[in-house]
Each structure stands twice: as structure tokens, then as C-alpha cells.
Amino acid sequence: MGTFFFIFFFRSFLFLLLSSSVSSSSRVFPIIPFDEGYSPLFGDHNLIIHSDSQTVHLSLDESSGSGFASHDIYLHGYFSASIKLPSDYTAGVVVAFYLSNGDMYEKNHDEIDFEFLGNIRGKDWRIQTNIYGNGSTNIGREERYGLWFDPSEDVHHYSILWTDSKIIFYVDEVPIREIKRTESMGGDFPSKPMTLYSTIWDASTWATNGGKYKVNYKYAPFVAEFSDFVLHGCAVDPIEHVTNCDNSLQTSETLPSSDVTHVEKIRMDNFRLKHMTYSYCYDKTRYKVPLPECVIDSRQAEKLRKFDPVTFGNGRHRRGKRHHHISKEAASF
């Protein structure tokens, strides 16, 4: 009997492994040199492009942070990079990999965010994801997670898939969040052409425990490494904002399937149940009723409620203890 179960579970594991490999290979796109797709954005003296144009270092010191931006603006696509984060004491430091059109639409911009939030020595980096559409910054759709590895020890792959119907965030080819466009979201779903940005900057006012721990420049420079650049999207004319390739981008030949497979769904659910520490959908302090697009998982609700009974429980303070609402501009778990 023991041998039978061993063979059964081994075959199941092998199936999951092979299925995962097939899924990952479907998202292999050409890696481009930095100078073919990007230009420095700010902090030039803190941006180092290696001679082969395959690797870039962004650093933060007392004088400045740094960043770069894509040459083109895109309407939908698959965007990724391998990133190694700064090590040691990184409180107050934020490294970001994101799409935005804030320079073109000051009052109604769209945004899709990967933000990496530094921490004090001995505490792990956290990931925050978020979206805005049509300037909907008054509605926070943040989620935050821990990781199953130390992102400062080696490079890891972070990707964003953006189509007209959904957005998926990936870490090392594992989907960690899927946002489906719903009628109830209206213009809150990002729908205008955007630029891809990567930055490192001082977010002492909010990034670590609501600003309790600031950037300590004793540990500067804080250096983030970027490589394996993929910009596989539909470039849009910056003046006319028109494109002829949007329809073709929905085909399997040009973009990976936007459908999360059964195996990917299992991996995503497992990641979220184990590593997610905050989601707006479960925040009863901010939203007495979850936003319409939220799909509540009872297991996740129970796990988060035990983690923070005020935020994810009844939304009320208990026994006179002081609790603070948490948002992008506030503490990260």
C-alpha cells in the first residue's frame, strides 16, 4: 500500500512539474539589450549600464535615487525583468517596476505596479502590487506578500501580463495575482497606453511600518540589479495614440495565453494563502462591503483575520489598543 501511494504521489508531482514547465515556456520572449528598449530617467550618476547593455544597476544614496523608462508607450503586452534587490538594512527603500501614463494624463492616469518594500535588518523584503485606472487613486486595490526566497541573494524574474480583459502578476513564472476586468470596475481598469518604468527611491515616509523606520544612509548605496529585459507589447504612436497591432496581440502567437491554467491556479492559490499579508478585498476598515470585483476565499479570509483581527475582522479597535489603517502610503506588513 505504501509503495502504491508513493508511486501515485510521485506521478502527480511529475505531472505538476511538467505542466509547470510547459506553462513557463509559453512566456519565453526575446530578451533585448537595455539601450534598445530603455533610456535613463533620472539620477544618471546612480545608473550604471554594463558594457554589454544586458545589465543595469540602479542605486540610491543621499544625493539621489535613479530610474529608467521605456522608449515606447504600450497598449497591452508582456513586460518582465530579472531583479536583484539591495541587501542588509533597507528600511524606507522602494524599488519599483511598473507601467504608468502619469506624464500624459495628470488627472486621470493609469498604473500597474510591482513595488518592493525594504525592511530593517533581519526582516524580509515585501512585494506590493496595485492598479489604478482613470485616476482612481482614491480607491486602493493594493495587495502585499512575503516571498519564498530572499530576493537580495540572487536575481528573480518579475513579470506583468496586461490585456484588455485582465492583468496577471508573476514571480519566477508563478502567477501571484490575477485581476479580471469587470463591468462594475468601469474606468478603474487600466486602459490607456503606458510607459514601463523602473526606479529606486527614498520612501521613508511610509514604506516601512508607516514611516517608523527611515532610510539609513549609513548603509548606502542601495543597489538594485536589473537584467533580462522583455518589452513584448504593442507600441503606440506617442502623438496620435493609435496602433494597428492591438488585435494581433490577443493571439497566442504574440502574447502568452491570458488564461490561468489549472496548475497555475493551484500554484497561485497556494502562494496567496501562504504568503499574502494584505488585500483590499478583505480590509473591513477601509471597505465595509468588498468592492464588486472581489472574489472572497473563505480560507484566505480566515487566515488574514487571524493575522490582523482589526483590519480583517470586524474593523473595530479592541481593548483600547491603537491600530492604524494601512494603505500604500502607510505601513507594510
Side-chain angles (χ1 to χ4, degrees):
M1 182 66 72
T3 302
F4 170 81
F5 280 109
F6 173 80
I7 294 173
F8 173 79
F9 283 113
F10 176 77
R11 287 178 175 175
S12 299
F13 171 77
L14 186 61
F15 170 76
L16 290 173
L17 182 62
L18 291 174
S19 300
S20 171
S21 299
V22 170
S23 173
S24 297
S25 65
S26 69
R27 282 187 289 277
V28 175
F29 294 105
I31 294 172
I32 63 171
F34 173 83
D35 54 12
E36 286 189 14
Y38 296 95
S39 298
L41 180 64
F42 71 100
D44 288 0
H45 64 287
N46 280 341
L47 189 154
I48 299 175
I49 305 171
H50 288 214
S51 57
D52 61 2
S53 196
Q54 299 297 323
T55 303
V56 173
H57 284 168
L58 294 182
S59 63
L60 166 69
D61 59 24
E62 287 186 277
S63 65
S64 176
S66 52
F68 56 83
S70 60
H71 295 160
D72 295 322
I73 59 176
Y74 298 91
L75 182 62
H76 309 143
Y78 180 77
F79 312 95
S80 66
S82 292
I83 306 172
K84 181 181 179 182
L85 299 173
S87 60
D88 202 3
Y89 186 99
T90 55
V93 177
V94 170
V95 176
F97 179 73
Y98 65 106
L99 291 149
S100 178
N101 50 30
D103 58 335
M104 295 181 290
Y105 302 96
E106 183 178 349
K107 295 183 178 180
N108 62 334
H109 84 287
D110 305 296
E111 198 166 306
I112 303 174
D113 296 331
F114 250 131
E115 292 180 305
F116 307 92
L117 311 179
N119 217 328
I120 59 176
R121 183 186 285 117
K123 298 292 185 179
D124 298 328
W125 280 83
R126 288 98 359 109
I127 291 182
Q128 177 165 282
T129 61
N130 203 355
I131 68 161
Y132 297 112
N134 203 33
S136 56
T137 55
N138 62 316
I139 301 176
R141 288 184 166 90
E142 304 100 319
E143 287 191 351
R144 281 184 290 277
Y145 332 86
L147 291 167
W148 65 93
F149 55 82
D150 183 345
S152 69
E153 288 187 347
D154 202 355
V155 295
H156 289 269
H157 207 58
Y158 305 91
S159 311
I160 298 170
L161 174 63
W162 171 38
T163 74
D164 63 348
S165 60
K166 65 179 62 177
I167 296 163
I168 305 175
F169 295 89
Y170 298 89
V171 176
D172 286 342
E173 303 302 335
V174 176
I176 66 167
R177 182 180 185 184
E178 178 184 33
I179 302 165
K180 296 180 180 179
R181 183 175 195 166
T182 64
E183 184 177 349
S184 63
M185 291 180 72
D188 288 1
F189 188 90
S191 58
K192 298 188 290 295
M194 292 190 276
T195 302
L196 195 287
Y197 296 94
S198 291
T199 58
I200 184 170
W201 53 291
D202 184 330
S204 290
T205 58
W206 65 271
T208 309
N209 287 38
K212 178 180 179 180
Y213 299 104
K214 317 292 185 183
V215 173
N216 187 339
Y217 287 103
K218 167 186 173 182
Y219 300 97
F222 303 96
V223 181
E225 176 183 313
F226 291 78
S227 59
D228 300 333
F229 302 102
V230 174
L231 283 170
H232 191 83
C234 188
V236 176
D237 184 284
I239 298 176
E240 299 294 334
H241 287 190
V242 295
T243 175
N244 295 320
C245 62
D246 198 33
N247 289 335
S248 68
L249 269 179
Q250 309 309 316
T251 68
S252 59
E253 290 80 11
T254 54
L255 268 186
S257 171
S258 62
D259 294 327
V260 173
T261 68
H262 176 67
V263 172
E264 286 181 319
K265 181 68 163 57
I266 292 173
R267 298 176 77 189
M268 180 168 65
D269 289 347
N270 287 340
F271 169 84
R272 294 171 67 80
L273 191 60
K274 185 174 182 180
H275 296 287
M276 188 163 74
T277 58
Y278 177 84
S279 172
Y280 74 101
C281 283
Y282 299 87
D283 188 336
K284 296 185 178 181
T285 301
R286 298 172 72 182
Y287 303 111
K288 302 304 180 185
V289 177
L291 295 184
E293 75 270 12
C294 290
V295 177
I296 302 301
D297 182 322
S298 59
R299 297 176 305 161
Q300 191 75 69
E302 179 63 13
K303 184 251 186 181
L304 290 175
R305 186 188 65 79
K306 290 180 178 178
F307 178 74
D308 184 342
V310 172
T311 302
F312 304 113
N314 60 15
R316 287 180 287 190
H317 304 323
R318 297 181 180 179
R319 297 188 181 96
K321 292 183 179 179
R322 297 181 64 191
H323 297 271
H324 300 276
H325 162 62
I326 294 185
S327 67
K328 179 179 177 180
E329 290 74 24
S332 298
F333 299 104

mmCIF file of all heavy atoms in Angstrom, residues 82-115:
data_model
loop_
_atom_site.group_PDB
_atom_site.id
_atom_site.type_symbol
_atom_site.label_atom_id
_atom_site.label_comp_id
_atom_site.label_asym_id
_atom_site.label_seq_id
_atom_site.Cartn_x
_atom_site.Cartn_y
_atom_site.Cartn_z
ATOM 1 N N SER A 82 14.550 40.539 -14.777
ATOM 2 C CA SER A 82 15.134 39.855 -13.625
ATOM 3 C C SER A 82 15.717 40.930 -12.712
ATOM 4 O O SER A 82 16.421 41.824 -13.178
ATOM 5 C CB SER A 82 16.221 38.881 -14.067
ATOM 6 O OG SER A 82 15.662 37.807 -14.791
ATOM 7 N N ILE A 83 15.417 40.832 -11.419
ATOM 8 C CA ILE A 83 15.804 41.882 -10.475
ATOM 9 C C ILE A 83 16.453 41.249 -9.247
ATOM 10 O O ILE A 83 15.954 40.253 -8.717
ATOM 11 C CB ILE A 83 14.580 42.716 -10.044
ATOM 12 C CG1 ILE A 83 13.848 43.271 -11.273
ATOM 13 C CG2 ILE A 83 15.003 43.853 -9.112
ATOM 14 C CD1 ILE A 83 12.512 43.947 -10.935
ATOM 15 N N LYS A 84 17.542 41.851 -8.809
ATOM 16 C CA LYS A 84 18.158 41.506 -7.533
ATOM 17 C C LYS A 84 18.110 42.747 -6.662
ATOM 18 O O LYS A 84 18.571 43.817 -7.053
ATOM 19 C CB LYS A 84 19.608 41.051 -7.725
ATOM 20 C CG LYS A 84 20.302 40.654 -6.424
ATOM 21 C CD LYS A 84 21.744 40.233 -6.689
ATOM 22 C CE LYS A 84 22.446 39.860 -5.386
ATOM 23 N NZ LYS A 84 23.875 39.482 -5.622
ATOM 24 N N LEU A 85 17.529 42.618 -5.466
ATOM 25 C CA LEU A 85 17.289 43.759 -4.598
ATOM 26 C C LEU A 85 18.467 44.014 -3.657
ATOM 27 O O LEU A 85 19.271 43.121 -3.401
ATOM 28 C CB LEU A 85 16.010 43.531 -3.795
ATOM 29 C CG LEU A 85 14.732 43.374 -4.629
ATOM 30 C CD1 LEU A 85 13.554 42.992 -3.757
ATOM 31 C CD2 LEU A 85 14.426 44.648 -5.410
ATOM 32 N N PRO A 86 18.561 45.240 -3.135
ATOM 33 C CA PRO A 86 19.628 45.548 -2.168
ATOM 34 C C PRO A 86 19.527 44.673 -0.921
ATOM 35 O O PRO A 86 18.439 44.219 -0.553
ATOM 36 C CB PRO A 86 19.379 47.025 -1.824
ATOM 37 C CG PRO A 86 18.585 47.560 -2.965
ATOM 38 C CD PRO A 86 17.749 46.419 -3.454
ATOM 39 N N SER A 87 20.662 44.456 -0.280
ATOM 40 C CA SER A 87 20.688 43.595 0.902
ATOM 41 C C SER A 87 20.949 44.408 2.161
ATOM 42 O O SER A 87 21.120 45.631 2.110
ATOM 43 C CB SER A 87 21.771 42.524 0.745
ATOM 44 O OG SER A 87 23.038 43.124 0.586
ATOM 45 N N ASP A 88 20.961 43.722 3.294
ATOM 46 C CA ASP A 88 21.246 44.293 4.604
ATOM 47 C C ASP A 88 20.093 45.204 5.040
ATOM 48 O O ASP A 88 18.937 44.905 4.785
ATOM 49 C CB ASP A 88 22.585 45.033 4.600
ATOM 50 C CG ASP A 88 23.188 45.173 6.003
ATOM 51 O OD1 ASP A 88 22.591 44.650 6.966
ATOM 52 O OD2 ASP A 88 24.248 45.790 6.137
ATOM 53 N N TYR A 89 20.382 46.321 5.665
ATOM 54 C CA TYR A 89 19.353 47.236 6.169
ATOM 55 C C TYR A 89 18.793 48.040 4.996
ATOM 56 O O TYR A 89 19.508 48.824 4.365
ATOM 57 C CB TYR A 89 19.958 48.169 7.215
ATOM 58 C CG TYR A 89 18.956 49.071 7.903
ATOM 59 C CD1 TYR A 89 18.445 48.752 9.159
ATOM 60 C CD2 TYR A 89 18.521 50.240 7.289
ATOM 61 C CE1 TYR A 89 17.529 49.586 9.790
ATOM 62 C CE2 TYR A 89 17.599 51.074 7.912
ATOM 63 C CZ TYR A 89 17.112 50.746 9.164
ATOM 64 O OH TYR A 89 16.195 51.563 9.775
ATOM 65 N N THR A 90 17.509 47.841 4.694
ATOM 66 C CA THR A 90 16.905 48.515 3.533
ATOM 67 C C THR A 90 15.605 49.229 3.888
ATOM 68 O O THR A 90 14.801 49.541 3.003
ATOM 69 C CB THR A 90 16.629 47.500 2.412
ATOM 70 O OG1 THR A 90 15.819 46.430 2.931
ATOM 71 C CG2 THR A 90 17.923 46.938 1.853
ATOM 72 N N ALA A 91 15.373 49.498 5.155
ATOM 73 C CA ALA A 91 14.140 50.180 5.564
ATOM 74 C C ALA A 91 13.985 51.491 4.802
ATOM 75 O O ALA A 91 14.948 52.226 4.592
ATOM 76 C CB ALA A 91 14.162 50.446 7.059
ATOM 77 N N GLY A 92 12.753 51.774 4.387
ATOM 78 C CA GLY A 92 12.455 53.018 3.685
ATOM 79 C C GLY A 92 12.775 53.011 2.209
ATOM 80 O O GLY A 92 12.408 53.939 1.487
ATOM 81 N N VAL A 93 13.470 51.974 1.739
ATOM 82 C CA VAL A 93 13.852 51.893 0.327
ATOM 83 C C VAL A 93 12.743 51.211 -0.466
ATOM 84 O O VAL A 93 12.207 50.186 -0.056
ATOM 85 C CB VAL A 93 15.169 51.114 0.154
ATOM 86 C CG1 VAL A 93 15.524 50.971 -1.327
ATOM 87 C CG2 VAL A 93 16.303 51.787 0.919
ATOM 88 N N VAL A 94 12.411 51.778 -1.619
ATOM 89 C CA VAL A 94 11.435 51.160 -2.519
ATOM 90 C C VAL A 94 12.061 51.006 -3.901
ATOM 91 O O VAL A 94 12.606 51.958 -4.458
ATOM 92 C CB VAL A 94 10.142 51.992 -2.625
ATOM 93 C CG1 VAL A 94 9.255 51.466 -3.754
ATOM 94 C CG2 VAL A 94 9.376 51.953 -1.313
ATOM 95 N N VAL A 95 11.978 49.799 -4.419
ATOM 96 C CA VAL A 95 12.342 49.520 -5.807
ATOM 97 C C VAL A 95 11.042 49.233 -6.542
ATOM 98 O O VAL A 95 10.212 48.454 -6.060
ATOM 99 C CB VAL A 95 13.295 48.315 -5.909
ATOM 100 C CG1 VAL A 95 13.584 47.984 -7.365
ATOM 101 C CG2 VAL A 95 14.603 48.599 -5.163
ATOM 102 N N ALA A 96 10.845 49.876 -7.691
ATOM 103 C CA ALA A 96 9.575 49.738 -8.403
ATOM 104 C C ALA A 96 9.796 49.310 -9.845
ATOM 105 O O ALA A 96 10.760 49.726 -10.492
ATOM 106 C CB ALA A 96 8.808 51.056 -8.366
ATOM 107 N N PHE A 97 8.890 48.471 -10.327
ATOM 108 C CA PHE A 97 8.845 48.019 -11.720
ATOM 109 C C PHE A 97 7.383 48.158 -12.119
ATOM 110 O O PHE A 97 6.535 47.405 -11.639
ATOM 111 C CB PHE A 97 9.335 46.570 -11.792
ATOM 112 C CG PHE A 97 9.310 45.961 -13.167
ATOM 113 C CD1 PHE A 97 10.230 46.333 -14.135
ATOM 114 C CD2 PHE A 97 8.365 44.982 -13.492
ATOM 115 C CE1 PHE A 97 10.212 45.756 -15.400
ATOM 116 C CE2 PHE A 97 8.339 44.400 -14.749
ATOM 117 C CZ PHE A 97 9.266 44.791 -15.705
ATOM 118 N N TYR A 98 7.066 49.133 -12.975
ATOM 119 C CA TYR A 98 5.650 49.461 -13.159
ATOM 120 C C TYR A 98 5.376 50.135 -14.490
ATOM 121 O O TYR A 98 6.269 50.652 -15.163
ATOM 122 C CB TYR A 98 5.180 50.363 -12.021
ATOM 123 C CG TYR A 98 5.826 51.742 -11.976
ATOM 124 C CD1 TYR A 98 5.117 52.871 -12.360
ATOM 125 C CD2 TYR A 98 7.131 51.911 -11.526
ATOM 126 C CE1 TYR A 98 5.698 54.137 -12.309
ATOM 127 C CE2 TYR A 98 7.717 53.170 -11.462
ATOM 128 C CZ TYR A 98 7.001 54.276 -11.862
ATOM 129 O OH TYR A 98 7.580 55.534 -11.814
ATOM 130 N N LEU A 99 4.091 50.122 -14.853
ATOM 131 C CA LEU A 99 3.579 50.822 -16.033
ATOM 132 C C LEU A 99 2.780 52.023 -15.559
ATOM 133 O O LEU A 99 2.007 51.934 -14.603
ATOM 134 C CB LEU A 99 2.686 49.903 -16.857
ATOM 135 C CG LEU A 99 3.373 48.743 -17.573
ATOM 136 C CD1 LEU A 99 2.422 47.558 -17.687
ATOM 137 C CD2 LEU A 99 3.851 49.158 -18.954
ATOM 138 N N SER A 100 2.940 53.151 -16.258
ATOM 139 C CA SER A 100 2.200 54.357 -15.873
ATOM 140 C C SER A 100 2.109 55.306 -17.063
ATOM 141 O O SER A 100 2.943 55.268 -17.973
ATOM 142 C CB SER A 100 2.886 55.059 -14.703
ATOM 143 O OG SER A 100 2.204 56.251 -14.349
ATOM 144 N N ASN A 101 1.091 56.165 -17.037
ATOM 145 C CA ASN A 101 0.981 57.243 -18.025
ATOM 146 C C ASN A 101 0.728 58.572 -17.325
ATOM 147 O O ASN A 101 0.066 59.463 -17.865
ATOM 148 C CB ASN A 101 -0.124 56.949 -19.058
ATOM 149 C CG ASN A 101 -1.446 56.556 -18.420
ATOM 150 O OD1 ASN A 101 -1.776 56.986 -17.308
ATOM 151 N ND2 ASN A 101 -2.222 55.729 -19.112
ATOM 152 N N GLY A 102 1.269 58.703 -16.111
ATOM 153 C CA GLY A 102 1.068 59.923 -15.341
ATOM 154 C C GLY A 102 1.606 61.159 -16.005
ATOM 155 O O GLY A 102 1.113 62.271 -15.761
ATOM 156 N N ASP A 103 2.627 61.000 -16.870
ATOM 157 C CA ASP A 103 3.187 62.163 -17.561
ATOM 158 C C ASP A 103 2.268 62.658 -18.670
ATOM 159 O O ASP A 103 2.325 63.820 -19.060
ATOM 160 C CB ASP A 103 4.561 61.823 -18.139
ATOM 161 C CG ASP A 103 4.518 60.646 -19.099
ATOM 162 O OD1 ASP A 103 3.598 59.813 -18.978
ATOM 163 O OD2 ASP A 103 5.401 60.558 -19.967
ATOM 164 N N MET A 104 1.395 61.778 -19.166
ATOM 165 C CA MET A 104 0.481 62.160 -20.249
ATOM 166 C C MET A 104 -0.910 62.508 -19.737
ATOM 167 O O MET A 104 -1.610 63.335 -20.319
ATOM 168 C CB MET A 104 0.369 61.015 -21.263
ATOM 169 C CG MET A 104 1.654 60.707 -22.014
ATOM 170 S SD MET A 104 1.450 59.371 -23.213
ATOM 171 C CE MET A 104 1.252 57.953 -22.111
ATOM 172 N N TYR A 105 -1.319 61.859 -18.641
ATOM 173 C CA TYR A 105 -2.670 62.063 -18.109
ATOM 174 C C TYR A 105 -2.545 62.413 -16.625
ATOM 175 O O TYR A 105 -2.713 61.562 -15.758
ATOM 176 C CB TYR A 105 -3.514 60.803 -18.284
ATOM 177 C CG TYR A 105 -3.638 60.329 -19.712
ATOM 178 C CD1 TYR A 105 -2.788 59.343 -20.220
ATOM 179 C CD2 TYR A 105 -4.592 60.866 -20.565
ATOM 180 C CE1 TYR A 105 -2.900 58.905 -21.527
ATOM 181 C CE2 TYR A 105 -4.719 60.437 -21.871
ATOM 182 C CZ TYR A 105 -3.859 59.453 -22.347
ATOM 183 O OH TYR A 105 -3.971 59.013 -23.647
ATOM 184 N N GLU A 106 -2.298 63.650 -16.355
ATOM 185 C CA GLU A 106 -2.006 64.081 -14.993
ATOM 186 C C GLU A 106 -3.168 63.843 -14.036
ATOM 187 O O GLU A 106 -2.964 63.467 -12.870
ATOM 188 C CB GLU A 106 -1.631 65.564 -14.983
ATOM 189 C CG GLU A 106 -1.229 66.092 -13.622
ATOM 190 C CD GLU A 106 -0.810 67.552 -13.661
ATOM 191 O OE1 GLU A 106 -0.634 68.090 -14.773
ATOM 192 O OE2 GLU A 106 -0.660 68.148 -12.582
ATOM 193 N N LYS A 107 -4.389 64.031 -14.497
ATOM 194 C CA LYS A 107 -5.545 63.929 -13.610
ATOM 195 C C LYS A 107 -6.317 62.619 -13.748
ATOM 196 O O LYS A 107 -7.186 62.338 -12.921
ATOM 197 C CB LYS A 107 -6.495 65.109 -13.866
ATOM 198 C CG LYS A 107 -5.881 66.457 -13.512
ATOM 199 C CD LYS A 107 -6.871 67.589 -13.720
ATOM 200 C CE LYS A 107 -6.270 68.931 -13.330
ATOM 201 N NZ LYS A 107 -7.229 70.048 -13.532
ATOM 202 N N ASN A 108 -6.028 61.837 -14.762
ATOM 203 C CA ASN A 108 -6.761 60.571 -14.932
ATOM 204 C C ASN A 108 -5.822 59.475 -15.434
ATOM 205 O O ASN A 108 -6.113 58.780 -16.397
ATOM 206 C CB ASN A 108 -7.957 60.745 -15.870
ATOM 207 C CG ASN A 108 -7.540 61.166 -17.273
ATOM 208 O OD1 ASN A 108 -6.495 61.774 -17.473
ATOM 209 N ND2 ASN A 108 -8.364 60.835 -18.258
ATOM 210 N N HIS A 109 -4.705 59.331 -14.745
ATOM 211 C CA HIS A 109 -3.688 58.388 -15.210
ATOM 212 C C HIS A 109 -4.039 56.951 -14.829
ATOM 213 O O HIS A 109 -4.868 56.685 -13.957
ATOM 214 C CB HIS A 109 -2.317 58.768 -14.644
ATOM 215 C CG HIS A 109 -2.053 58.252 -13.271
ATOM 216 N ND1 HIS A 109 -2.648 58.764 -12.141
ATOM 217 C CD2 HIS A 109 -1.251 57.230 -12.844
ATOM 218 C CE1 HIS A 109 -2.220 58.116 -11.079
ATOM 219 N NE2 HIS A 109 -1.382 57.174 -11.475
ATOM 220 N N ASP A 110 -3.386 56.022 -15.524
ATOM 221 C CA ASP A 110 -3.479 54.594 -15.240
ATOM 222 C C ASP A 110 -2.137 54.125 -14.690
ATOM 223 O O ASP A 110 -1.095 54.738 -14.940
ATOM 224 C CB ASP A 110 -3.788 53.796 -16.514
ATOM 225 C CG ASP A 110 -5.029 54.281 -17.236
ATOM 226 O OD1 ASP A 110 -6.119 54.183 -16.654
ATOM 227 O OD2 ASP A 110 -4.903 54.759 -18.380
ATOM 228 N N GLU A 111 -2.155 52.989 -13.987
ATOM 229 C CA GLU A 111 -0.905 52.479 -13.423
ATOM 230 C C GLU A 111 -1.063 50.994 -13.076
ATOM 231 O O GLU A 111 -2.130 50.554 -12.644
ATOM 232 C CB GLU A 111 -0.537 53.273 -12.168
ATOM 233 C CG GLU A 111 0.907 53.148 -11.757
ATOM 234 C CD GLU A 111 1.300 54.210 -10.730
ATOM 235 O OE1 GLU A 111 1.085 55.415 -10.994
ATOM 236 O OE2 GLU A 111 1.802 53.810 -9.661
ATOM 237 N N ILE A 112 0.012 50.239 -13.294
ATOM 238 C CA ILE A 112 0.096 48.839 -12.882
ATOM 239 C C ILE A 112 1.429 48.681 -12.171
ATOM 240 O O ILE A 112 2.484 48.864 -12.782
ATOM 241 C CB ILE A 112 0.020 47.877 -14.081
ATOM 242 C CG1 ILE A 112 -1.268 48.112 -14.885
ATOM 243 C CG2 ILE A 112 0.109 46.434 -13.618
ATOM 244 C CD1 ILE A 112 -1.349 47.308 -16.172
ATOM 245 N N ASP A 113 1.415 48.352 -10.878
ATOM 246 C CA ASP A 113 2.611 48.431 -10.031
ATOM 247 C C ASP A 113 3.101 47.098 -9.499
ATOM 248 O O ASP A 113 2.319 46.301 -8.977
ATOM 249 C CB ASP A 113 2.330 49.295 -8.783
ATOM 250 C CG ASP A 113 2.025 50.731 -9.116
ATOM 251 O OD1 ASP A 113 2.513 51.219 -10.135
ATOM 252 O OD2 ASP A 113 1.293 51.366 -8.336
ATOM 253 N N PHE A 114 4.419 46.902 -9.600
ATOM 254 C CA PHE A 114 5.181 45.993 -8.752
ATOM 255 C C PHE A 114 6.039 46.900 -7.878
ATOM 256 O O PHE A 114 6.877 47.653 -8.394
ATOM 257 C CB PHE A 114 6.128 45.128 -9.586
ATOM 258 C CG PHE A 114 5.766 43.681 -9.687
ATOM 259 C CD1 PHE A 114 5.739 43.054 -10.934
ATOM 260 C CD2 PHE A 114 5.493 42.921 -8.560
ATOM 261 C CE1 PHE A 114 5.431 41.710 -11.046
ATOM 262 C CE2 PHE A 114 5.185 41.568 -8.669
ATOM 263 C CZ PHE A 114 5.152 40.968 -9.915
ATOM 264 N N GLU A 115 5.871 46.880 -6.572
ATOM 265 C CA GLU A 115 6.720 47.661 -5.676
ATOM 266 C C GLU A 115 7.347 46.728 -4.645
ATOM 267 O O GLU A 115 6.661 45.883 -4.053
ATOM 268 C CB GLU A 115 5.913 48.754 -4.968
ATOM 269 C CG GLU A 115 5.439 49.841 -5.906
ATOM 270 C CD GLU A 115 4.651 50.915 -5.174
ATOM 271 O OE1 GLU A 115 3.665 50.547 -4.496
ATOM 272 O OE2 GLU A 115 5.002 52.091 -5.288
#
